[in-house]
């Protein structure tokens, strides 16, 4: 038995007036997912348990088959594991975005949660300067991918609240700064980072080229190292993970899965969709399970860019789903799950906890349960609603 998960991060959405009341999934041209829906088992999955925030960390743990209520400790520790940064039992990891803040009228607003989607070549130079100027035996700055980086607080505090920057685009930052024990130290660190970044040659260059400055860091998603049951023990499967983002790679490493890096995988709309699909097919030759994660639809939603979201969904269908379907005939018993992790409505520019549409498809096996297409309404119409972590049980049944 071979199992492959194709996950379009944040694909699910809500009806949009610009699309004549359709959701992006309904409006996009997705013949491959629609064909799978007609032949497969379609329903809704609740990937975010009640009481937990609708982050990609919680939602992807569910899709992987884990109950986040039992194992979730925060987003950034998973990213630290992916990056090879060791955490002691008392160390706290934080996601550290490079962001663009904009002062106006004596107030400061979150202009862009990604500093204009700054690339890794420039961002790594900024992180190196932060480490040189502000790093010490307590605080460590580690470079990641693009705007996504890591702060480790050795022996730090974790009983505090912090807000993801993509939730507050265009809003005043004051009420969303870290709160709780240790928050004052983090805010001081953020202010100190602004002093380093403001005069950095990279930012002077970005201003000259009419690009957004990476003029601050933003700390969130904190926690200590989690413990996940290895996949081979939980499901009896060997496996691999394909993703551009450290969060998903970290979940994979925690679960004892191999991480496959694909050239050109960026975590944005220019990612190497087909390369991911081809790598997944190659991985299925030697593994029982492959998890393919595509970030692009979510990034488009956070930016409020409807056309980018439609393009990301269509590229996902054509280049990822289509390529995988064309290559499955070499395997005898294949089960395929296609779904988002959570909705990311364009209108809100952030995640919600609503159930997401999923397809479970077995080539050559007709399991249709009434869906004529792959979208939120068609999935709801089947009447099938499951907890997110149960999708793996349905796949392996």
């Amino acid at each position: 038995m071979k199992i492959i998960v194709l996950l379009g991060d944040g694909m699910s959405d809500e009806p949009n007036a610009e699309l004549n009341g359709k959701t992006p999934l309904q409006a996009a041209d997705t013949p491959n997912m629609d064909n799978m829906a007609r032949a497969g088992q379609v329903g809704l999955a609740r990937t975010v348990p009640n009481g937990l925030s609708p982050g990609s960390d919680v939602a992807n743990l569910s899709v992987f088959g884990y109950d986040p209520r039992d194992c979730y400790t925060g987003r950034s520790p998973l990213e630290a594991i992916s990056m090879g940064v060791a955490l002691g039992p008392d160390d706290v990891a934080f996601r550290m975005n490079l962001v663009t803040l904009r002062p106006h009228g004596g107030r400061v607003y979150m202009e862009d949660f990604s500093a204009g989607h700054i690339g890794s070549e420039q961002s790594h130079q900024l992180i190196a300067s932060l480490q040189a100027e502000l790093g010490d035996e307590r605080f460590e700055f580690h470079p990641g991918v693009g705007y996504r980086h890591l702060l480790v607080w050795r022996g730090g505090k974790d009983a505090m609240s912090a807000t993801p920057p993509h939730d507050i685009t265009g809003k005043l930052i004051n009420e969303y700064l870290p709160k709780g024990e240790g928050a004052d130290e983090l805010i001081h660190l953020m202010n100190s980072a602004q002093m380093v970044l403001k005069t950095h040659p990279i930012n002077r260059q970005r201003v000259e080229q009419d690009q957004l400055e990476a003029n601050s860091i933003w700390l969130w998603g904190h926690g200590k190292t989690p413990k996940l049951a290895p996949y081979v023990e939980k499901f009896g499967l060997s496996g691999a993970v394909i993703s551009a983002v450290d969060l998903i790679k970290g979940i994979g490493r925690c679960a004892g899965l191999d991480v496959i890096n694909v050239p050109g995988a960026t975590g944005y709309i220019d990612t190497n969709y087909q390369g991911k699909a081809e790598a997944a097919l190659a991985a299925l030759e030697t593994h029982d399970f492959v998890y393919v994660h595509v970030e692009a639809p979510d990034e488009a939603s956070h930016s409020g860019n409807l056309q980018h979201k439609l393009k990301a969904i269509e590229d996902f269908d054509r280049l990822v789903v289509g390529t995988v379907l064309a290559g499955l005939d070499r395997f005898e018993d294949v089960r395929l799950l296609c779904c988002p992790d959570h909705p990311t409505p364009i209108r809100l520019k952030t995640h919600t906890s609503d159930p997401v549409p999923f397809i479970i498809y077995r080539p050559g096996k007709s399991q249709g349960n009434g869906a004529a297409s792959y979208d939120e309404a068609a999935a709801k119409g089947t009447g099938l609603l499951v907890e997110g972590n149960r999708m793996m049980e349905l796949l392996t049944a």
Side-chain angles (χ1 to χ4, degrees):
M1 179 175 63
K2 301 287 185 179
I3 293 174
I4 185 166
V5 175
L6 303 179
L7 190 138
D9 200 305
M11 282 196 303
S12 189
D13 210 305
E14 58 187 24
N16 190 298
E18 291 185 52
L19 302 175
N20 297 317
K22 294 182 178 181
T23 69
L25 272 176
Q26 290 175 314
D29 182 25
T30 57
N32 292 301
M33 290 189 287
D34 290 342
N35 287 337
M36 285 198 304
R38 287 188 279 272
Q41 193 175 19
V42 176
L44 292 173
R46 188 182 292 107
T47 57
V48 181
N50 292 335
L52 294 182
S53 297
S56 292
D57 40 19
V58 168
N60 276 278
L61 281 168
S62 289
V63 180
F64 269 98
Y66 296 97
D67 187 338
R69 292 167 294 192
D70 297 335
C71 61
Y72 177 66
T73 63
R75 176 192 188 106
S76 200
L78 296 165
E79 296 176 326
I81 290 167
S82 170
M83 295 165 66
V85 177
L87 298 177
D90 298 322
D91 298 335
V92 183
F94 292 79
R95 159 65 85 83
M96 181 176 64
N97 279 40
L98 286 172
V99 302
T100 304
L101 302 182
R102 185 65 58 202
H104 181 74
R107 300 180 176 183
V108 180
Y109 295 81
M110 178 65 67
E111 181 169 357
D112 193 287
F113 68 91
S114 66
H117 280 282
I118 188 170
S120 295
E121 182 178 353
Q122 289 189 329
S123 70
H124 284 196
Q125 295 180 58
L126 296 176
I127 301 304
S129 293
L130 290 173
Q131 175 62 24
E133 296 287 337
L134 305 176
D136 55 27
E137 68 278 359
R138 299 176 66 216
F139 292 108
E140 299 173 3
F141 298 78
H142 296 272
V145 176
Y147 64 85
R148 313 171 185 92
H149 306 283
L150 175 73
L151 175 79
V152 174
W153 186 358
R154 300 293 180 186
K157 310 292 185 182
D158 68 343
M160 68 182 73
S161 62
T163 302
H166 51 255
D167 285 1
I168 59 172
T169 300
K171 297 181 180 180
L172 287 167
I173 68 168
N174 297 55
E175 62 182 286
Y176 300 105
L177 292 167
K179 297 180 177 67
E181 186 182 8
D184 287 347
E185 289 189 75
L186 294 183
I187 293 171
H188 175 73
L189 194 66
M190 293 165 70
N191 290 335
S192 299
Q194 291 171 20
M195 300 295 289
V196 175
L197 295 171
K198 184 63 180 176
T199 58
H200 198 284
I202 289 294
N203 274 323
R204 289 204 297 266
Q205 176 185 334
R206 290 181 69 81
V207 170
E208 291 170 0
Q209 296 175 350
D210 200 27
Q211 297 175 316
L212 291 176
E213 294 176 276
N215 60 12
S216 185
I217 61 172
W218 192 269
L219 302 171
W220 61 287
H222 59 285
K224 297 182 178 181
T225 301
K227 292 183 180 179
L228 300 182
Y231 234 65
V232 70
E233 295 179 12
K234 187 171 179 63
F235 296 109
L237 301 172
S238 67
V241 171
I242 297 171
S243 176
V245 300
D246 285 317
L247 169 64
I248 309 303
K249 295 177 183 179
I251 294 175
R253 287 205 166 99
C254 274
L257 306 175
D258 293 334
V259 172
I260 298 173
N261 294 309
V262 175
T266 64
Y268 196 48
I269 58 169
D270 61 351
T271 196
N272 184 1
Y273 297 91
Q274 187 162 342
K276 286 186 173 184
E278 291 170 349
L281 290 169
L284 276 183
E285 298 281 359
T286 54
H287 297 77
D288 307 315
F289 169 84
V290 179
Y291 194 100
V292 183
H293 171 268
V294 175
E295 178 80 357
D298 191 60
E299 290 292 323
S301 291
H302 287 312
S303 299
N305 193 319
L306 179 58
Q307 294 309 310
H308 278 184
K309 182 160 190 176
L310 292 171
K311 183 180 189 309
I313 291 172
E314 291 179 351
D315 286 347
F316 177 80
D317 181 80
R318 180 170 59 91
L319 298 173
V320 177
V321 180
T323 300
V324 167
L325 289 177
L328 289 182
D329 55 1
R330 73 187 81 168
F331 307 107
E332 291 186 8
D333 181 10
V334 184
R335 291 98 184 276
L336 190 151
L337 168 64
C338 182
C339 66
D341 47 355
H342 50 66
T344 312
I346 286 281
R347 178 181 64 88
L348 300 175
K349 298 183 183 179
T350 191
H351 308 161
T352 68
S353 300
D354 295 332
V356 297
F358 71 88
I359 312 166
I360 290 178
Y361 172 71
R362 296 179 65 182
K365 307 277 187 181
S366 180
Q367 297 178 300
N369 61 341
S373 59
Y374 175 63
D375 55 67
E376 299 85 354
K380 184 177 180 180
T382 68
L384 178 61
L385 175 64
V386 302
E387 295 300 315
N389 62 315
R390 284 204 57 237
M391 289 190 290
M392 274 301 297
E393 295 177 20
L394 296 176
L395 274 171
T396 55

